[in-house]
Amino acid sequence: MSDKTPGGPGSDASVLTKTKPKTQRPPLYKVMLLNDDYTPMEFVVHVLERFFGLSHAQSFEIMLTVHKKGLAVVGVFSYEIAETKVAQVMDFARRHQHPLQCTMEKE
């Protein structure tokens, strides 16, 4: 048996330092609504309230931005949440026979 104890004087054990690993934030994705000439403005406001939890006033402002500028960012989310929001909006629009388009892109 050796008289050297692990970590004791004369041992070959090196000093271990604890390093905190840096976790990287997941990439974020912008969810956008696109303007069209057929979807009623009231329907867009309803979609914004229902799927994005916005107030009526916020929804109305975003709807006007979509109408005037052609598109508007309605939220920024992780990939999975953005993908779900896009699918929900597109499905809801199709079920109500509106051509509303919702897309996502990396921020």
Side-chain angles (χ1 to χ4, degrees), residues 33-44 63 66-71 94 97-101:
L33 285 182
L34 307 176
N35 189 39
D36 64 72
D37 293 333
Y38 304 101
T39 305
M41 293 179 177
E42 297 81 23
F43 184 79
V44 175
M63 177 274 298
V66 171
H67 181 69
K68 291 177 183 175
K69 295 187 177 181
L71 68 90
R94 296 301 156 260
Q97 300 178 343
H98 295 300
L100 181 65
Q101 293 291 307

Side-chain angles (χ1 to χ4, degrees), residues 66-79:
V66 171
H67 181 69
K68 291 177 183 175
K69 295 187 177 181
L71 68 90
V73 175
V74 297
V76 179
F77 308 96
S78 68
Y79 179 82

Side-chain angles (χ1 to χ4, degrees), residues 52-95:
F52 297 94
L54 300 173
S55 70
H56 186 75
Q58 290 170 315
S59 298
F60 192 81
E61 286 297 317
I62 291 173
M63 177 274 298
L64 285 178
T65 301
V66 171
H67 181 69
K68 291 177 183 175
K69 295 187 177 181
L71 68 90
V73 175
V74 297
V76 179
F77 308 96
S78 68
Y79 179 82
E80 292 80 10
I81 294 173
E83 185 177 49
T84 300
K85 298 270 187 201
V86 169
Q88 288 174 329
V89 170
M90 295 294 288
D91 181 55
F92 189 71
R94 296 301 156 260
R95 282 187 288 142

